[in-house]
């Protein structure tokens, strides 16, 4: 099997912890110029943006030289540019470092902070923040947490070592423990293992269950129940489907508090609304470091406010809140 040649390194430095966009021109196509391809790729509505970048010399080739506005299309050529990122509302919660060594950084991510740049959350992502704060431009994420979920996330220091840590998650060699606050149902028999097939369509906010071979497995345990008809749950996912724990808790009839998607998709909240966070926390990560052989068991120090101080969490209405 022929090995794929890695792309050349970016000639542009990061900006605010964000890598430049890399585009490889396809091997086949009817474009006469680099501009024509970029306009088709980004959409005709962004033709003015493409022209502005080219005219300002902000699109460069592998040698770092500016690509001329009328540069001929060359199949297989790489070009880079920085996209214009609109100002983002800062997420006003800190990232806590739980473990750091020469290979990895494990952080305790707050609610509302994306793990990696995506959509409208770019500079306000854990990856971009850590690159800036720790001055580690090559830092990369080994896995992801939903933006609305808080807790432990593992990042790698060296790109060439990322695959070793990503394989831990891919091969299910990481023991993950989550905690959630949800309604208490005395008739729900727990603990139990939930198995189902979950589908997440691109462009559709909520995932859903369908008939078929299970691809999502979660163990659900009730830790305790208390006032206001709430329970504190311990969740152990054996697989990693998108929104898996949220879907399974909803299917059991006990949707997680603060969930804007399950059981129903709520209207979007304004940027900067950080009230009533989803009461889901990635509490523990346990694994054997693939490079050092060290056994690591890491734990989040965060608390789920709906359990410790429901009145504070529920002080103002927000998406997905239980009434």
């Amino acid at each position: 099997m022929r090995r794929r040649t890695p792309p050349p390194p970016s000639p542009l430095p990061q900006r605010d912890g964000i890598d430049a966009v890399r585009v490889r021109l396809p091997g086949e196509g009817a474009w006469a110029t680099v501009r024509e391809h970029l306009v088709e790729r980004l959409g005709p509505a962004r033709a003015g943006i493409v022209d502005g970048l080219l005219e300002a010399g902000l699109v460069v080739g592998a040698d770092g030289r500016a690509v001329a506005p009328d540069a001929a299309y060359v199949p297989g050529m790489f070009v880079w540019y920085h996209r214009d990122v609109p100002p983002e509302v800062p997420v006003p919660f800190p990232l806590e470092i739980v473990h750091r060594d020469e290979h990895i950084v494990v952080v305790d991510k707050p609610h509302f902070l994306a793990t990696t740049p995506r959509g409208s959350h770019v500079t306000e992502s854990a990856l971009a923040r850590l690159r800036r704060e720790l001055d580690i431009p090559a830092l990369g994420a080994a896995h992801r947490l939903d933006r609305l979920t808080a807790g432990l996330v593992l990042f790698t220091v060296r790109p060439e070592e990322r695959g070793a840590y990503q394989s831990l998650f891919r091969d299910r060699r990481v023991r993950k423990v989550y905690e959630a606050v949800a309604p208490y149902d005395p008739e729900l028999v727990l603990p139990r293992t939930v198995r189902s097939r979950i589908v997440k369509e691109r462009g559709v906010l909520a995932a859903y269950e369908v008939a078929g071979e299970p691809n999502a497995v979660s163990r659900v345990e009730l830790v305790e129940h208390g006032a206001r008809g709430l329970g504190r749950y311990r969740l152990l996912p054996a697989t990693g489907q998108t929104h898996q724990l949220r879907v399974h808790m909803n299917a059991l009839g006990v949707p997680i508090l603060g969930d804007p998607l399950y059981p129903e998709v709520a209207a979007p909240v304004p940027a900067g609304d950080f009230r009533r966070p989803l009461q889901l926390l990635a509490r523990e990560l346990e694994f054997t470091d693939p490079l050092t052989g060290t056994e690591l068991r890491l734990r989040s120090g965060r608390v789920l406010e709906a359990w410790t101080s429901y009145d504070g969490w529920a002080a103002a209405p927000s998406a997905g809140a239980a009434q």
Side-chain angles (χ1 to χ4, degrees):
M1 185 173 164
R2 195 172 171 183
R3 257 189 196 181
R4 197 173 162 188
T5 305
S10 173
L12 294 177
Q14 288 177 355
R15 182 186 293 171
D16 293 326
I18 306 301
D19 294 321
V21 176
R22 183 185 72 226
V23 176
R24 185 179 186 276
L25 306 187
E28 296 181 358
W31 307 281
T33 63
V34 173
R35 176 195 176 277
E36 285 184 13
H37 175 71
L38 292 179
V39 168
E40 183 173 318
R41 184 186 185 95
L42 298 179
R46 298 189 179 181
I49 295 175
V50 172
D51 289 336
L53 289 170
L54 289 167
E55 289 166 8
L58 299 178
V59 180
V60 304
D63 58 3
R65 294 181 180 178
V67 174
D70 60 350
Y73 184 92
V74 178
M77 176 183 178
F78 286 94
V79 298
W80 288 261
Y81 63 90
H82 278 290
R83 61 173 167 154
D84 189 23
V85 179
E88 299 174 40
V89 177
V91 177
F93 311 112
L95 274 165
E96 305 288 348
I97 295 179
V98 175
H99 174 85
R100 181 179 179 182
D101 59 35
E102 62 181 311
H103 304 289
I104 61 174
V105 177
V106 180
V107 300
D108 202 348
K109 185 185 81 68
H111 296 284
F112 301 109
L113 188 68
T115 299
T116 55
R118 187 174 184 182
S120 59
H121 307 282
V122 181
T123 56
E124 278 300 302
S125 61
L127 179 60
R129 261 204 206 176
L130 288 168
R131 283 174 170 177
R132 298 192 300 265
E133 294 173 6
L134 303 180
D135 193 23
I136 308 177
L139 197 73
H143 66 122
R144 293 181 182 179
L145 279 187
D146 291 344
R147 185 179 70 88
L148 299 182
T149 303
L152 301 182
V153 188
L154 188 153
F155 295 86
T156 58
V157 174
R158 302 184 180 102
E160 64 271 19
E161 296 175 353
R162 190 171 307 151
Y165 292 94
Q166 288 176 324
S167 68
L168 289 177
F169 294 89
R170 182 193 66 216
D171 299 339
R172 303 177 189 175
R173 288 182 285 141
V174 179
R175 181 174 179 271
K176 297 181 284 186
V177 178
Y178 286 72
E179 190 174 305
V181 178
Y184 167 65
D185 180 357
E187 297 185 3
L188 179 63
V189 179
L190 295 176
R192 71 167 61 184
T193 299
V194 182
R195 294 180 174 86
S196 70
R197 185 165 193 84
I198 293 177
V199 173
K200 175 66 170 68
E201 297 179 30
R202 187 179 181 88
V204 178
L205 293 176
Y208 56 93
E209 293 179 307
V210 297
E213 183 71 21
N215 63 357
V217 180
S218 309
R219 180 169 177 81
V220 180
E221 302 173 356
L222 176 68
V223 178
E224 57 184 326
H225 62 90
R228 301 183 185 276
L230 297 178
R232 186 164 68 92
Y233 297 84
R234 188 169 179 260
L235 311 176
L236 295 92
T239 54
Q241 296 299 318
T242 300
H243 297 177
Q244 175 177 316
L245 296 176
R246 297 162 68 179
V247 170
H248 280 168
M249 289 293 283
N250 182 56
L252 292 175
V254 286
I256 298 171
L257 262 64
D259 198 325
L261 299 181
Y262 309 96
E264 295 181 357
V265 177
V269 299
D273 185 347
F274 301 115
R275 299 169 297 174
R276 305 186 85 166
L278 174 70
Q279 295 299 279
L280 180 62
L281 173 66
R283 175 66 78 189
E284 295 178 15
L285 286 180
E286 186 175 355
F287 59 94
T288 301
D289 189 295
L291 300 183
T292 67
T294 304
E295 298 281 346
L296 292 173
R297 183 175 182 180
L298 306 172
R299 184 174 175 84
S300 166
R302 298 186 184 275
V303 297
L304 291 173
E305 191 182 10
W307 185 256
T308 59
S309 177
Y310 182 86
D311 289 340
W313 176 81
S318 186
Q323 299 297 319

